[in-house]
């Protein structure tokens, strides 16, 4: 008789991620969750970078986010979309990012917290 592997002894149960979200999150909840989405190049969250222009939630808890990038040629949109979906999982039923380019992003969009984070990693802002 062989000994059971440690992984055989684990009996994790995971919540049903296919069940629709019925509790309506607040805008503060959604904004706070978006702080988990970090720009992979600047290593600061998209909220404090000022990349999130708006968050909209419909009556069925489907979320649309107006967001921009530091550069229209940024190749990381897929990564940001994935990270956004993961950050909002369990809060909303679906997420769509509406990539917007006007007004263009500038350094003035960065929050004071974002500036501190950038300074901590060596940027002069």
């Amino acid at each position: 008789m062989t000994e059971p592997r440690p992984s055989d002894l684990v009996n994790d149960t995971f919540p049903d991620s296919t069940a629709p979200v019925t509790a309506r999150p607040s805008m503060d909840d959604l904004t706070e969750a978006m702080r988990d989405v970090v720009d992979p190049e600047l290593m600061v969250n998209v909220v404090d970078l000022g990349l999130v222009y708006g968050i909209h939630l419909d009556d069925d808890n489907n979320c649309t986010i107006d967001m921009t990038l530091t550069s229209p040629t940024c190749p990381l949109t897929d990564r940001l979309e994935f990270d956004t979906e993961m950050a909002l999982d369990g809060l909303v039923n679906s997420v769509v990012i509406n990539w917007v380019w006007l007004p263009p992003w500038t350094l003035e969009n960065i929050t004071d917290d974002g500036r501190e984070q950038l300074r901590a990693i060596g940027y002069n802002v």
Side-chain angles (χ1 to χ4, degrees):
M1 181 155 122
T2 63
E3 291 290 317
R5 299 180 327 187
S7 61
D8 293 335
L9 302 175
V10 175
N11 187 16
D12 286 334
T13 57
F14 297 101
D16 181 7
S17 63
T18 60
V21 174
T22 55
R24 187 168 181 85
S26 70
M27 284 300 134
D28 288 341
D29 292 338
L30 297 175
T31 300
E32 189 60 34
M34 286 299 294
R35 290 187 194 284
D36 290 340
V37 180
V38 175
D39 182 287
E41 293 178 314
L42 295 176
M43 300 311 295
V44 174
N45 72 74
V46 294
V47 172
D48 286 324
L49 280 176
L51 299 176
V52 176
Y53 286 178
I55 300 175
H56 313 280
L57 192 62
D58 71 12
D59 292 338
D60 296 321
N61 285 343
N62 298 305
C63 185
T64 302
I65 299 174
D66 293 332
M67 191 156 77
T68 193
L69 299 167
T70 57
S71 166
T73 60
C74 178
L76 300 169
T77 55
D78 290 345
R79 167 74 184 269
L80 290 170
E81 287 174 350
F82 177 81
D83 290 350
T84 297
E85 288 176 12
M86 293 298 101
L88 297 179
D89 185 45
L91 291 175
V92 299
N93 288 318
S94 68
V95 178
V96 173
I97 297 178
N98 179 32
W99 295 107
V100 295
W101 308 111
L102 293 174
W105 179 84
T106 65
L107 293 174
E108 287 76 39
N109 295 42
I110 303 172
T111 67
D112 290 339
D113 286 344
R115 290 176 189 283
E116 286 182 36
Q117 293 171 55
L118 287 169
R119 285 186 196 111
I121 57 175
Y123 286 95
N124 184 18
V125 290

Short mmCIF file of all heavy atoms in Angstrom, two decimals, residues 22-87:
data_model
loop_
_atom_site.label_atom_id
_atom_site.label_comp_id
_atom_site.label_asym_id
_atom_site.label_seq_id
_atom_site.Cartn_x
_atom_site.Cartn_y
_atom_site.Cartn_z
N THR A 22 -25.11 39.20 -6.60
CA THR A 22 -26.37 39.90 -6.40
C THR A 22 -26.22 41.13 -5.51
O THR A 22 -26.99 42.07 -5.62
CB THR A 22 -27.44 38.96 -5.79
OG1 THR A 22 -26.92 38.41 -4.59
CG2 THR A 22 -27.79 37.85 -6.77
N ALA A 23 -25.23 41.11 -4.62
CA ALA A 23 -25.01 42.28 -3.75
C ALA A 23 -24.34 43.38 -4.57
O ALA A 23 -23.39 43.13 -5.30
CB ALA A 23 -24.14 41.89 -2.56
N ARG A 24 -24.87 44.57 -4.45
CA ARG A 24 -24.33 45.69 -5.23
C ARG A 24 -23.14 46.31 -4.49
O ARG A 24 -23.29 46.83 -3.39
CB ARG A 24 -25.41 46.73 -5.47
CG ARG A 24 -24.97 47.83 -6.41
CD ARG A 24 -26.18 48.66 -6.82
NE ARG A 24 -25.81 49.71 -7.74
CZ ARG A 24 -25.70 49.55 -9.05
NH1 ARG A 24 -25.95 48.38 -9.57
NH2 ARG A 24 -25.36 50.55 -9.82
N PRO A 25 -21.95 46.29 -5.12
CA PRO A 25 -20.81 46.92 -4.48
C PRO A 25 -20.90 48.44 -4.60
O PRO A 25 -21.53 48.97 -5.52
CB PRO A 25 -19.61 46.39 -5.28
CG PRO A 25 -20.18 46.11 -6.63
CD PRO A 25 -21.61 45.67 -6.39
N SER A 26 -20.27 49.13 -3.67
CA SER A 26 -20.23 50.59 -3.76
C SER A 26 -19.12 51.00 -4.73
O SER A 26 -18.23 50.20 -5.05
CB SER A 26 -19.97 51.19 -2.38
OG SER A 26 -18.64 50.91 -1.97
N MET A 27 -19.15 52.24 -5.17
CA MET A 27 -18.08 52.75 -6.02
C MET A 27 -16.75 52.73 -5.27
O MET A 27 -15.70 52.46 -5.85
CB MET A 27 -18.40 54.16 -6.51
CG MET A 27 -19.43 54.20 -7.62
SD MET A 27 -18.90 53.27 -9.07
CE MET A 27 -20.38 52.36 -9.41
N ASP A 28 -16.81 52.98 -3.97
CA ASP A 28 -15.59 52.91 -3.16
C ASP A 28 -15.02 51.50 -3.16
O ASP A 28 -13.80 51.32 -3.23
CB ASP A 28 -15.85 53.37 -1.72
CG ASP A 28 -16.06 54.87 -1.60
OD1 ASP A 28 -15.66 55.61 -2.53
OD2 ASP A 28 -16.63 55.30 -0.58
N ASP A 29 -15.90 50.48 -3.07
CA ASP A 29 -15.45 49.09 -3.12
C ASP A 29 -14.75 48.80 -4.45
O ASP A 29 -13.70 48.16 -4.49
CB ASP A 29 -16.62 48.11 -2.97
CG ASP A 29 -17.25 48.14 -1.59
OD1 ASP A 29 -16.58 48.56 -0.62
OD2 ASP A 29 -18.44 47.74 -1.50
N LEU A 30 -15.35 49.25 -5.54
CA LEU A 30 -14.78 49.00 -6.86
C LEU A 30 -13.46 49.74 -7.05
O LEU A 30 -12.50 49.17 -7.56
CB LEU A 30 -15.78 49.40 -7.95
CG LEU A 30 -17.09 48.61 -7.95
CD1 LEU A 30 -18.06 49.17 -8.98
CD2 LEU A 30 -16.85 47.13 -8.18
N THR A 31 -13.41 50.98 -6.60
CA THR A 31 -12.18 51.76 -6.72
C THR A 31 -11.07 51.12 -5.89
O THR A 31 -9.93 51.00 -6.35
CB THR A 31 -12.42 53.22 -6.27
OG1 THR A 31 -13.43 53.79 -7.10
CG2 THR A 31 -11.15 54.05 -6.37
N GLU A 32 -11.41 50.70 -4.69
CA GLU A 32 -10.41 50.07 -3.82
C GLU A 32 -9.91 48.77 -4.45
O GLU A 32 -8.71 48.47 -4.42
CB GLU A 32 -10.99 49.81 -2.44
CG GLU A 32 -9.97 49.36 -1.42
CD GLU A 32 -8.84 50.36 -1.19
OE1 GLU A 32 -9.07 51.58 -1.27
OE2 GLU A 32 -7.70 49.90 -0.95
N ALA A 33 -10.81 47.99 -5.04
CA ALA A 33 -10.40 46.75 -5.70
C ALA A 33 -9.48 47.04 -6.87
O ALA A 33 -8.52 46.29 -7.13
CB ALA A 33 -11.63 45.97 -6.16
N MET A 34 -9.73 48.13 -7.57
CA MET A 34 -8.88 48.49 -8.73
C MET A 34 -7.47 48.89 -8.30
O MET A 34 -6.55 48.89 -9.11
CB MET A 34 -9.54 49.62 -9.54
CG MET A 34 -10.72 49.17 -10.36
SD MET A 34 -10.30 47.92 -11.59
CE MET A 34 -9.24 48.86 -12.68
N ARG A 35 -7.27 49.19 -7.03
CA ARG A 35 -5.92 49.48 -6.54
C ARG A 35 -5.04 48.23 -6.57
O ARG A 35 -3.82 48.31 -6.44
CB ARG A 35 -5.97 50.06 -5.13
CG ARG A 35 -6.55 51.46 -5.09
CD ARG A 35 -6.44 52.07 -3.70
NE ARG A 35 -7.26 53.25 -3.56
CZ ARG A 35 -6.97 54.46 -4.06
NH1 ARG A 35 -5.86 54.63 -4.74
NH2 ARG A 35 -7.78 55.47 -3.88
N ASP A 36 -5.66 47.06 -6.74
CA ASP A 36 -4.88 45.82 -6.89
C ASP A 36 -4.35 45.64 -8.31
O ASP A 36 -3.57 44.72 -8.56
CB ASP A 36 -5.74 44.61 -6.51
CG ASP A 36 -6.03 44.53 -5.02
OD1 ASP A 36 -5.29 45.16 -4.23
OD2 ASP A 36 -7.00 43.84 -4.65
N VAL A 37 -4.80 46.47 -9.23
CA VAL A 37 -4.33 46.39 -10.62
C VAL A 37 -3.13 47.32 -10.76
O VAL A 37 -3.25 48.53 -10.65
CB VAL A 37 -5.45 46.79 -11.61
CG1 VAL A 37 -4.95 46.70 -13.04
CG2 VAL A 37 -6.68 45.91 -11.40
N VAL A 38 -1.99 46.72 -10.97
CA VAL A 38 -0.73 47.47 -11.00
C VAL A 38 -0.22 47.57 -12.43
O VAL A 38 -0.18 46.57 -13.15
CB VAL A 38 0.31 46.77 -10.10
CG1 VAL A 38 1.67 47.44 -10.20
CG2 VAL A 38 -0.18 46.76 -8.65
N ASP A 39 0.16 48.78 -12.83
CA ASP A 39 0.79 48.97 -14.12
C ASP A 39 2.12 48.22 -14.10
O ASP A 39 2.98 48.50 -13.28
CB ASP A 39 1.03 50.47 -14.37
CG ASP A 39 1.65 50.72 -15.73
OD1 ASP A 39 2.86 50.43 -15.87
OD2 ASP A 39 0.95 51.22 -16.62
N PRO A 40 2.31 47.23 -15.00
CA PRO A 40 3.50 46.38 -14.93
C PRO A 40 4.81 47.13 -15.23
O PRO A 40 5.87 46.66 -14.84
CB PRO A 40 3.25 45.31 -16.00
CG PRO A 40 1.87 45.47 -16.46
CD PRO A 40 1.36 46.79 -16.01
N GLU A 41 4.73 48.25 -15.88
CA GLU A 41 5.95 48.99 -16.18
C GLU A 41 6.32 49.95 -15.06
O GLU A 41 7.49 50.06 -14.69
CB GLU A 41 5.79 49.77 -17.49
CG GLU A 41 5.67 48.86 -18.69
CD GLU A 41 5.46 49.62 -19.98
OE1 GLU A 41 4.62 50.54 -20.01
OE2 GLU A 41 6.16 49.27 -20.95
N LEU A 42 5.34 50.65 -14.50
CA LEU A 42 5.63 51.65 -13.48
C LEU A 42 5.49 51.10 -12.06
O LEU A 42 5.92 51.75 -11.10
CB LEU A 42 4.71 52.85 -13.66
CG LEU A 42 4.92 53.63 -14.96
CD1 LEU A 42 3.90 54.75 -15.09
CD2 LEU A 42 6.33 54.18 -15.04
N MET A 43 4.86 49.93 -11.91
CA MET A 43 4.69 49.27 -10.61
C MET A 43 3.89 50.11 -9.61
O MET A 43 4.14 50.07 -8.41
CB MET A 43 6.06 48.88 -10.03
CG MET A 43 6.84 47.92 -10.93
SD MET A 43 5.89 46.50 -11.52
CE MET A 43 5.56 45.65 -10.00
N VAL A 44 2.94 50.87 -10.11
CA VAL A 44 2.00 51.64 -9.29
C VAL A 44 0.61 51.28 -9.77
O VAL A 44 0.40 51.03 -10.96
CB VAL A 44 2.27 53.16 -9.42
CG1 VAL A 44 1.22 53.97 -8.69
CG2 VAL A 44 3.67 53.50 -8.91
N ASN A 45 -0.35 51.26 -8.86
CA ASN A 45 -1.71 50.85 -9.26
C ASN A 45 -2.34 51.88 -10.20
O ASN A 45 -1.98 53.06 -10.20
CB ASN A 45 -2.58 50.58 -8.03
CG ASN A 45 -2.96 51.84 -7.29
OD1 ASN A 45 -3.80 52.61 -7.75
ND2 ASN A 45 -2.34 52.07 -6.15
N VAL A 46 -3.29 51.39 -10.99
CA VAL A 46 -3.89 52.22 -12.05
C VAL A 46 -4.73 53.35 -11.50
O VAL A 46 -4.91 54.38 -12.17
CB VAL A 46 -4.72 51.36 -13.03
CG1 VAL A 46 -3.81 50.41 -13.80
CG2 VAL A 46 -5.84 50.60 -12.33
N VAL A 47 -5.25 53.21 -10.28
CA VAL A 47 -6.04 54.28 -9.67
C VAL A 47 -5.13 55.45 -9.32
O VAL A 47 -5.40 56.60 -9.68
CB VAL A 47 -6.82 53.78 -8.43
CG1 VAL A 47 -7.49 54.94 -7.71
CG2 VAL A 47 -7.85 52.74 -8.84
N ASP A 48 -4.04 55.17 -8.61
CA ASP A 48 -3.13 56.24 -8.20
C ASP A 48 -2.34 56.83 -9.37
O ASP A 48 -1.88 57.96 -9.29
CB ASP A 48 -2.20 55.77 -7.09
CG ASP A 48 -2.92 55.64 -5.76
OD1 ASP A 48 -3.80 56.48 -5.49
OD2 ASP A 48 -2.62 54.72 -4.99
N LEU A 49 -2.21 56.07 -10.44
CA LEU A 49 -1.60 56.65 -11.65
C LEU A 49 -2.56 57.57 -12.38
O LEU A 49 -2.16 58.32 -13.25
CB LEU A 49 -1.13 55.55 -12.60
CG LEU A 49 0.19 54.87 -12.27
CD1 LEU A 49 0.46 53.74 -13.24
CD2 LEU A 49 1.33 55.87 -12.26
N GLY A 50 -3.84 57.50 -12.03
CA GLY A 50 -4.83 58.33 -12.70
C GLY A 50 -5.25 57.77 -14.05
O GLY A 50 -5.73 58.51 -14.91
N LEU A 51 -5.11 56.47 -14.22
CA LEU A 51 -5.49 55.84 -15.48
C LEU A 51 -6.98 55.50 -15.56
O LEU A 51 -7.52 55.33 -16.64
CB LEU A 51 -4.67 54.56 -15.71
CG LEU A 51 -3.15 54.75 -15.80
CD1 LEU A 51 -2.46 53.40 -15.93
CD2 LEU A 51 -2.79 55.67 -16.95
N VAL A 52 -7.63 55.41 -14.40
CA VAL A 52 -9.06 55.10 -14.37
C VAL A 52 -9.83 56.42 -14.45
O VAL A 52 -9.77 57.24 -13.55
CB VAL A 52 -9.43 54.33 -13.09
CG1 VAL A 52 -10.93 54.10 -13.02
CG2 VAL A 52 -8.67 53.01 -13.03
N TYR A 53 -10.54 56.59 -15.55
CA TYR A 53 -11.30 57.83 -15.76
C TYR A 53 -12.73 57.71 -15.24
O TYR A 53 -13.37 58.70 -14.97
CB TYR A 53 -11.32 58.19 -17.24
CG TYR A 53 -10.02 58.74 -17.78
CD1 TYR A 53 -9.92 59.05 -19.12
CD2 TYR A 53 -8.91 58.94 -16.98
CE1 TYR A 53 -8.75 59.58 -19.65
CE2 TYR A 53 -7.74 59.46 -17.50
CZ TYR A 53 -7.66 59.78 -18.84
OH TYR A 53 -6.49 60.29 -19.35
N GLY A 54 -13.24 56.49 -15.13
CA GLY A 54 -14.60 56.31 -14.63
C GLY A 54 -14.94 54.85 -14.46
O GLY A 54 -14.42 54.00 -15.18
N ILE A 55 -15.80 54.57 -13.48
CA ILE A 55 -16.30 53.22 -13.25
C ILE A 55 -17.82 53.30 -13.27
O ILE A 55 -18.41 54.13 -12.59
CB ILE A 55 -15.81 52.67 -11.89
CG1 ILE A 55 -14.29 52.62 -11.85
CG2 ILE A 55 -16.42 51.29 -11.63
CD1 ILE A 55 -13.71 52.21 -10.50
N HIS A 56 -18.44 52.46 -14.09
CA HIS A 56 -19.89 52.47 -14.25
C HIS A 56 -20.42 51.08 -13.97
O HIS A 56 -19.89 50.08 -14.45
CB HIS A 56 -20.26 52.90 -15.68
CG HIS A 56 -19.51 54.11 -16.13
ND1 HIS A 56 -19.87 55.38 -15.75
CD2 HIS A 56 -18.41 54.23 -16.89
CE1 HIS A 56 -19.02 56.24 -16.28
NE2 HIS A 56 -18.11 55.57 -16.97
N LEU A 57 -21.48 51.01 -13.17
CA LEU A 57 -22.09 49.74 -12.80
C LEU A 57 -23.55 49.77 -13.20
O LEU A 57 -24.29 50.67 -12.80
CB LEU A 57 -21.95 49.54 -11.29
CG LEU A 57 -22.26 48.17 -10.72
CD1 LEU A 57 -21.29 47.12 -11.29
CD2 LEU A 57 -22.16 48.20 -9.21
N ASP A 58 -23.99 48.78 -14.00
CA ASP A 58 -25.40 48.76 -14.40
C ASP A 58 -26.23 48.03 -13.34
O ASP A 58 -25.71 47.56 -12.33
CB ASP A 58 -25.57 48.18 -15.81
CG ASP A 58 -25.33 46.68 -15.90
OD1 ASP A 58 -25.25 45.99 -14.86
OD2 ASP A 58 -25.22 46.18 -17.04
N ASP A 59 -27.52 47.93 -13.59
CA ASP A 59 -28.45 47.33 -12.62
C ASP A 59 -28.21 45.84 -12.40
O ASP A 59 -28.65 45.27 -11.41
CB ASP A 59 -29.90 47.55 -13.06
CG ASP A 59 -30.30 49.02 -13.00
OD1 ASP A 59 -29.66 49.78 -12.24
OD2 ASP A 59 -31.25 49.40 -13.70
N ASP A 60 -27.51 45.19 -13.33
CA ASP A 60 -27.22 43.77 -13.21
C ASP A 60 -25.80 43.49 -12.70
O ASP A 60 -25.29 42.38 -12.85
CB ASP A 60 -27.41 43.08 -14.57
CG ASP A 60 -28.86 43.13 -15.03
OD1 ASP A 60 -29.76 42.99 -14.18
OD2 ASP A 60 -29.08 43.33 -16.24
N ASN A 61 -25.17 44.51 -12.13
CA ASN A 61 -23.79 44.39 -11.60
C ASN A 61 -22.76 44.05 -12.67
O ASN A 61 -21.81 43.32 -12.42
CB ASN A 61 -23.71 43.39 -10.45
CG ASN A 61 -24.30 43.94 -9.17
OD1 ASN A 61 -24.50 45.13 -9.02
ND2 ASN A 61 -24.59 43.06 -8.23
N ASN A 62 -22.97 44.58 -13.86
CA ASN A 62 -21.97 44.50 -14.91
C ASN A 62 -21.22 45.82 -14.91
O ASN A 62 -21.83 46.89 -14.87
CB ASN A 62 -22.62 44.25 -16.27
CG ASN A 62 -23.37 42.94 -16.28
OD1 ASN A 62 -22.81 41.89 -15.97
ND2 ASN A 62 -24.65 42.99 -16.60
N CYS A 63 -19.90 45.74 -14.95
CA CYS A 63 -19.06 46.92 -14.76
C CYS A 63 -18.37 47.31 -16.06
O CYS A 63 -17.83 46.46 -16.78
CB CYS A 63 -18.01 46.60 -13.69
SG CYS A 63 -16.97 47.97 -13.23
N THR A 64 -18.40 48.60 -16.37
CA THR A 64 -17.64 49.16 -17.48
C THR A 64 -16.69 50.20 -16.90
O THR A 64 -17.11 51.06 -16.13
CB THR A 64 -18.56 49.83 -18.52
OG1 THR A 64 -19.50 48.86 -18.99
CG2 THR A 64 -17.77 50.38 -19.69
N ILE A 65 -15.44 50.07 -17.26
CA ILE A 65 -14.42 50.98 -16.74
C ILE A 65 -13.84 51.78 -17.89
O ILE A 65 -13.39 51.21 -18.89
CB ILE A 65 -13.30 50.20 -16.02
CG1 ILE A 65 -13.90 49.43 -14.85
CG2 ILE A 65 -12.19 51.14 -15.57
CD1 ILE A 65 -12.94 48.51 -14.17
N ASP A 66 -13.90 53.10 -17.76
CA ASP A 66 -13.22 53.98 -18.71
C ASP A 66 -11.79 54.12 -18.21
O ASP A 66 -11.56 54.62 -17.10
CB ASP A 66 -13.89 55.36 -18.77
CG ASP A 66 -15.29 55.29 -19.36
OD1 ASP A 66 -15.55 54.38 -20.17
OD2 ASP A 66 -16.12 56.14 -19.01
N MET A 67 -10.86 53.64 -19.01
CA MET A 67 -9.46 53.64 -18.57
C MET A 67 -8.57 54.00 -19.75
O MET A 67 -8.91 53.76 -20.90
CB MET A 67 -9.09 52.26 -18.01
CG MET A 67 -7.78 52.23 -17.28
SD MET A 67 -7.64 50.89 -16.07
CE MET A 67 -7.35 49.48 -17.08
N THR A 68 -7.44 54.57 -19.42
CA THR A 68 -6.47 54.93 -20.44
C THR A 68 -5.14 54.29 -20.07
O THR A 68 -5.03 53.58 -19.07
CB THR A 68 -6.35 56.47 -20.57
OG1 THR A 68 -5.64 56.76 -21.77
CG2 THR A 68 -5.66 57.09 -19.38
N LEU A 69 -4.15 54.55 -20.87
CA LEU A 69 -2.80 54.06 -20.63
C LEU A 69 -1.85 55.25 -20.64
O LEU A 69 -2.18 56.32 -21.14
CB LEU A 69 -2.40 53.06 -21.71
CG LEU A 69 -3.27 51.82 -21.81
CD1 LEU A 69 -3.00 51.06 -23.11
CD2 LEU A 69 -3.05 50.91 -20.61
N THR A 70 -0.66 55.03 -20.11
CA THR A 70 0.32 56.12 -20.12
C THR A 70 0.76 56.42 -21.54
O THR A 70 1.21 57.53 -21.82
CB THR A 70 1.54 55.77 -19.26
OG1 THR A 70 2.10 54.54 -19.72
CG2 THR A 70 1.15 55.65 -17.80
N SER A 71 0.60 55.44 -22.44
CA SER A 71 0.94 55.63 -23.85
C SER A 71 -0.02 54.81 -24.70
O SER A 71 -0.28 53.64 -24.37
CB SER A 71 2.37 55.16 -24.11
OG SER A 71 2.61 55.03 -25.49
N PRO A 72 -0.54 55.36 -25.79
CA PRO A 72 -1.45 54.58 -26.64
C PRO A 72 -0.77 53.35 -27.27
O PRO A 72 -1.45 52.44 -27.70
CB PRO A 72 -1.86 55.56 -27.74
CG PRO A 72 -1.52 56.91 -27.23
CD PRO A 72 -0.42 56.74 -26.24
N THR A 73 0.54 53.32 -27.28
CA THR A 73 1.25 52.18 -27.87
C THR A 73 1.63 51.13 -26.83
O THR A 73 2.36 50.21 -27.14
CB THR A 73 2.52 52.67 -28.60
OG1 THR A 73 3.37 53.32 -27.65
CG2 THR A 73 2.18 53.60 -29.73
N CYS A 74 1.13 51.26 -25.64
CA CYS A 74 1.43 50.31 -24.56
C CYS A 74 0.98 48.90 -24.97
O CYS A 74 -0.18 48.70 -25.33
CB CYS A 74 0.74 50.73 -23.27
SG CYS A 74 1.02 49.57 -21.92
N PRO A 75 1.87 47.92 -24.91
CA PRO A 75 1.52 46.56 -25.33
C PRO A 75 0.87 45.73 -24.22
O PRO A 75 0.67 44.53 -24.40
CB PRO A 75 2.88 45.98 -25.72
CG PRO A 75 3.83 46.64 -24.78
CD PRO A 75 3.30 48.05 -24.60
N LEU A 76 0.52 46.32 -23.09
CA LEU A 76 0.11 45.55 -21.93
C LEU A 76 -1.39 45.57 -21.66
O LEU A 76 -1.81 45.27 -20.54
CB LEU A 76 0.88 46.05 -20.70
CG LEU A 76 2.40 45.92 -20.84
CD1 LEU A 76 3.10 46.66 -19.72
CD2 LEU A 76 2.82 44.46 -20.87
N THR A 77 -2.20 45.90 -22.65
CA THR A 77 -3.64 45.98 -22.41
C THR A 77 -4.22 44.63 -21.98
O THR A 77 -5.08 44.59 -21.09
CB THR A 77 -4.40 46.49 -23.64
OG1 THR A 77 -4.07 45.66 -24.76
CG2 THR A 77 -4.05 47.94 -23.95
N ASP A 78 -3.75 43.54 -22.56
CA ASP A 78 -4.26 42.21 -22.18
C ASP A 78 -3.98 41.92 -20.71
O ASP A 78 -4.83 41.40 -20.00
CB ASP A 78 -3.65 41.11 -23.04
CG ASP A 78 -4.14 41.14 -24.48
OD1 ASP A 78 -5.16 41.81 -24.74
OD2 ASP A 78 -3.51 40.50 -25.34
N ARG A 79 -2.80 42.27 -20.27
CA ARG A 79 -2.43 42.04 -18.86
C ARG A 79 -3.31 42.87 -17.94
O ARG A 79 -3.81 42.39 -16.92
CB ARG A 79 -0.95 42.37 -18.68
CG ARG A 79 -0.47 42.48 -17.25
CD ARG A 79 -0.35 41.10 -16.58
NE ARG A 79 0.01 41.24 -15.20
CZ ARG A 79 1.26 41.26 -14.74
NH1 ARG A 79 2.27 41.16 -15.59
NH2 ARG A 79 1.50 41.38 -13.47
N LEU A 80 -3.52 44.15 -18.27
CA LEU A 80 -4.35 45.02 -17.44
C LEU A 80 -5.80 44.55 -17.43
O LEU A 80 -6.47 44.62 -16.41
CB LEU A 80 -4.23 46.46 -17.91
CG LEU A 80 -2.87 47.11 -17.63
CD1 LEU A 80 -2.77 48.45 -18.34
CD2 LEU A 80 -2.63 47.25 -16.15
N GLU A 81 -6.29 44.07 -18.57
CA GLU A 81 -7.66 43.54 -18.62
C GLU A 81 -7.79 42.31 -17.73
O GLU A 81 -8.75 42.18 -16.96
CB GLU A 81 -8.05 43.21 -20.05
CG GLU A 81 -8.31 44.45 -20.89
CD GLU A 81 -8.57 44.15 -22.36
OE1 GLU A 81 -8.38 43.00 -22.81
OE2 GLU A 81 -8.96 45.10 -23.07
N PHE A 82 -6.83 41.40 -17.79
CA PHE A 82 -6.86 40.20 -16.96
C PHE A 82 -6.81 40.58 -15.48
O PHE A 82 -7.60 40.08 -14.67
CB PHE A 82 -5.70 39.27 -17.32
CG PHE A 82 -5.62 38.06 -16.44
CD1 PHE A 82 -6.44 36.96 -16.68
CD2 PHE A 82 -4.74 38.01 -15.37
CE1 PHE A 82 -6.39 35.84 -15.86
CE2 PHE A 82 -4.67 36.90 -14.55
CZ PHE A 82 -5.49 35.82 -14.80
N ASP A 83 -5.87 41.45 -15.12
CA ASP A 83 -5.73 41.85 -13.72
C ASP A 83 -6.99 42.57 -13.21
O ASP A 83 -7.37 42.39 -12.05
CB ASP A 83 -4.51 42.75 -13.54
CG ASP A 83 -3.20 42.00 -13.71
OD1 ASP A 83 -3.21 40.75 -13.78
OD2 ASP A 83 -2.14 42.66 -13.78
N THR A 84 -7.63 43.33 -14.08
CA THR A 84 -8.88 44.01 -13.70
C THR A 84 -9.99 43.00 -13.44
O THR A 84 -10.71 43.09 -12.44
CB THR A 84 -9.31 45.01 -14.79
OG1 THR A 84 -8.29 46.02 -14.90
CG2 THR A 84 -10.64 45.66 -14.47
N GLU A 85 -10.10 42.01 -14.32
CA GLU A 85 -11.11 40.96 -14.11
C GLU A 85 -10.86 40.22 -12.80
O GLU A 85 -11.81 39.93 -12.06
CB GLU A 85 -11.10 39.99 -15.29
CG GLU A 85 -11.68 40.57 -16.55
CD GLU A 85 -11.59 39.63 -17.74
OE1 GLU A 85 -11.28 38.43 -17.54
OE2 GLU A 85 -11.82 40.09 -18.86
N MET A 86 -9.61 39.94 -12.49
CA MET A 86 -9.29 39.23 -11.25
C MET A 86 -9.58 40.11 -10.03
O MET A 86 -10.11 39.63 -9.02
CB MET A 86 -7.82 38.80 -11.23
CG MET A 86 -7.46 37.73 -12.24
SD MET A 86 -8.34 36.17 -12.00
CE MET A 86 -9.63 36.28 -13.23
N ALA A 87 -9.26 41.39 -10.12
CA ALA A 87 -9.48 42.30 -8.99
C ALA A 87 -10.97 42.47 -8.68
O ALA A 87 -11.35 42.63 -7.52
CB ALA A 87 -8.85 43.65 -9.27
#
